[in-house]
Amino acid sequence: MFLIDAGTSYIKTLDTSSGEKSIFPVTDRSSYIELKPEIVTGHNASLFKGSEKVSELVALAEGIRTISKEANFIVLDIGSRDMKLVSFYENNFERCDWNTSCGAMIGFTIELMIKYFNKELKNIPDTDKKLDITCGLLGITKFFDGISKQETIEENLSALMNGMAHYAWHFSGKPDRLYLSGGLTQNDVFTKHMKKLIKELIILDRFTLLEGLKFRVSKGL
Amino acid sequence: MKIGFTGVPPYKIIEKYKNLYPNAEWTDLDVPIRSISRSIAVDYIPETTCSIIQTIISNSISLHPDLIIASVGKGKCDSMSFIIPIIRRTLKDAKIIEIENHEQMSRGNPICTSDIPLIEKFNLITDTVTNGPIKKELKISKATAGYWGVPPYDYSLLELFPNNTHIFGWTRCMENGTPNNLELELYIDHKIPTVFYSQAFCAKNILAKELAKNNKGLYVEVDGPIDNSTKEKIKAFLELNNCF
């Protein structure tokens, strides 16, 4: 069965028969627009007409359940456009949240700024400086204030990510232990800032929602 | 004769003016009217004002009622008191009656706990403001979900819920005829997965967020029409809690 997580910036696919996973940037529309998934989730799910659509939060909740067998835990998925949170308590679904306004565009903003200034993540330093932000756009404003004071672009990019890490931590309820999923798991600078806040950060990948869709297929849902 | 009202005025004053003007055309100024843009209000009040208050200003200025029965005080909100001078200045020949509702006699909540679609529940409850308690008998349902809050600006939100959704919060106070009853407004059933709704820029967000946090509910803050992401969040919360 062919499954798609159609995110805001990236289209992730999974062929359950071969286990093959692929990622296409949304900008490369011709590479994915003809695909015919049986089930689809994600912000761009409507691009795939005729496919069964599943809520992103439901896909995340069912996906993390196949990954973690623990009784109590929280998972945070940070994508380009939003943050999704699901928690389980004593093996039962406890609560969920989905931040689409404040805290929005965090992943997209980080990628945009790094590309705009032509920087590489490996050259971004660690810093304790933090830009107090609640969304990507406010973060950009603070960032440009910072570099206008002759502070380095690299340090301010790191401070931007530190601010976003703090926001994500608050959004999660300041847990000591957290599963982190989504595209930002691939950003070592961001995860390093998260690790300073959370005692135990378990880093997954960007395919958790597809695991949820796979679970639905296996259960015949 | 055109009569507008806001919130839940005491039923006695509604009856008084119904008797005085039996052919009057009554309008709930809190409720959005498709042909009237709420953006009219931003010429008078900040955009960071809740959608309901913006709607009241826009409806009042567009419909120009002859009489407005304006609920103020704890049964409504401070913003309502603050916009009355603006309406007075703009509608110079309209009569405006400011009134608080301290009614404490309970009418009960047969609509809130019934098995009819949530959107119909809200329509019936808002009707009770001018028509009094519902007369027909409704079947009580076993709740599988809860909605806490005021009537939303965008009723399409209500279509997401199962029929067995019980209503809590200020809307429950509305049906009960006691809009100034904080104890009832804070009452919820802890066993029911509940969506705690509040209009953006409304002080009731403080209650909604706190109640959601303490009861594993879902806190939702919406300004104006509901967006797809918020709809998806509510749908997921109801699905993951097996509300259907």
Side-chain angles (χ1 to χ4, degrees), chain A residues 43 54-58 61-62 81-82 86 89 93-100 216, chain B residues 213 216-219 221 227-241:
Chain A
H43 177 64
V54 173
S55 158
E56 294 166 65
L57 267 179
V58 173
E62 292 179 344
R81 178 176 164 272
D82 53 28
V86 175
Y89 181 69
F93 166 75
E94 182 187 43
R95 74 183 181 97
C96 65
D97 206 348
W98 192 343
N99 197 329
T100 55
R216 288 179 84 83
Chain B
K213 188 177 169 188
K216 295 173 186 167
L218 180 69
Y219 165 57
E221 179 195 16
D227 59 81
N228 281 338
S229 298
T230 306
K231 277 188 181 175
E232 289 299 319
K233 178 160 68 174
I234 294 170
K235 277 156 73 175
F237 174 78
L238 297 171
E239 183 176 341
L240 291 167
N241 276 299

Side-chain angles (χ1 to χ4, degrees), chain A residues 18 37-38 59 74 77 94 99 131 146 161 165 177 195 211:
Chain A
S18 64
E38 273 86 358
I74 303 170
D77 183 282
E94 182 187 43
N99 197 329
L131 301 182
M161 289 185 240
R177 193 166 181 281
K195 280 176 181 170
E211 289 300 324

Side-chain angles (χ1 to χ4, degrees), chain A residues 7-10 12 76-84 99-116 121 133-140 157 160-165 167-168 180-187 190-191 194 206:
Chain A
T8 306
S9 296
Y10 292 95
K12 284 82 70 179
L76 178 69
D77 183 282
I78 309 182
S80 289
R81 178 176 164 272
D82 53 28
M83 282 191 260
K84 293 176 276 288
N99 197 329
T100 55
S101 47
C102 296
M105 306 304 287
I106 282 184
F108 179 77
T109 305
I110 290 175
E111 192 168 340
L112 179 80
M113 298 297 274
I114 287 171
K115 281 185 182 164
Y116 182 75
L121 277 178
I133 54 157
T134 50
C135 80
L137 279 176
L138 288 174
I140 290 176
L157 284 171
L160 178 70
M161 289 185 240
N162 193 16
M164 290 172 170
Y167 186 83
L180 182 67
S181 158
L184 272 181
T185 58
Q186 312 300 305
N187 181 322
F190 180 79
T191 55
M194 288 289 277
R206 47 176 44 171

